[in-house]
Amino acid sequence: MKAVTTRIPPTQGVLLAGGLARRMGGGDKPMRTIGGRTILERVIARLSPQCSGLILNANGDPARFAAFGLQVVADDVPGFPGPLAGILAALDWTAANRPGIEWVLSAAGDCPFLPRDLVARLHEECIGANARLAVAASGEQSHPVIGLWRVDLREELRHALVVEDLRKIDRWTARYPLATVTWPTEPLDPFFNANTVEDIAEAERLAALDAAS
């Protein structure tokens, strides 16, 4: 793998945990435990060294996440419109609270094996391709929830969400120069996410592989 040499701009991280987890019978997927640690603990451990700070996007009572020590930021677009609303909330929070930061990294709160070079490689490709956004991919699949977003695009995103009722991330990213960075899926897919009860069992197996890598 090519070494990353780009100087990484300060980047605010947001963990998206606003989903309803219907395929797990409700509840917060990131709070499920694999290998003796919650999925959210694993995500925080992966991203904390890569970001200038982390916040958590979640709706409902923020007190349920108090043990993790992260600022919880709720959607301000009503009706659970999906991850784009969480990304917008993070862009707005960063503009208000971290005005010197121009980039936000979003990641799903249920992806416990995120790459340790995620932020660096996304920035490197974004700069190299002169792109305004970057998303992750593995194998033949893009993962648009996991990406880099410019804070100065927040009003355009708000318009798309509120006025146009746009919901799909890839429909919005298609409007801009976009960089896509692909990671290998062996020995494990770093973007594996736990969507079902069966996925938790698979995650236990992958956690052992991840620990050995």
Side-chain angles (χ1 to χ4, degrees), residues 182-203:
T182 301
W183 275 263
T185 56
E186 296 296 336
L188 77 164
D189 187 339
F191 305 112
F192 171 91
N193 64 326
N195 279 319
T196 66
V197 174
E198 291 75 19
D199 286 342
I200 294 294
E202 174 64 5

Side-chain angles (χ1 to χ4, degrees), residues 2-9 103 117-137 148 177-183:
K2 185 175 69 172
V4 176
T5 57
T6 304
R7 182 178 178 274
I8 303 171
W103 293 93
D117 60 353
L118 177 64
V119 176
R121 287 196 62 205
L122 288 175
H123 271 299
E124 181 179 60
E125 188 63 27
C126 208
I127 293 168
N130 197 27
R132 300 192 73 190
L133 304 167
V135 298
L148 275 180
L178 176 69
T180 300
V181 183
T182 301
W183 275 263

Side-chain angles (χ1 to χ4, degrees), residues 114-164:
L114 291 168
R116 293 179 173 87
D117 60 353
L118 177 64
V119 176
R121 287 196 62 205
L122 288 175
H123 271 299
E124 181 179 60
E125 188 63 27
C126 208
I127 293 168
N130 197 27
R132 300 192 73 190
L133 304 167
V135 298
S138 58
E140 301 298 318
Q141 183 179 1
S142 177
H143 306 288
V145 168
I146 301 170
L148 275 180
W149 315 89
R150 288 192 60 90
V151 175
D152 62 11
L153 291 177
R154 68 187 189 283
E155 295 305 332
E156 293 172 39
L157 177 54
R158 191 185 327 279
H159 185 276
L161 269 171
V162 176
V163 178
E164 302 175 47

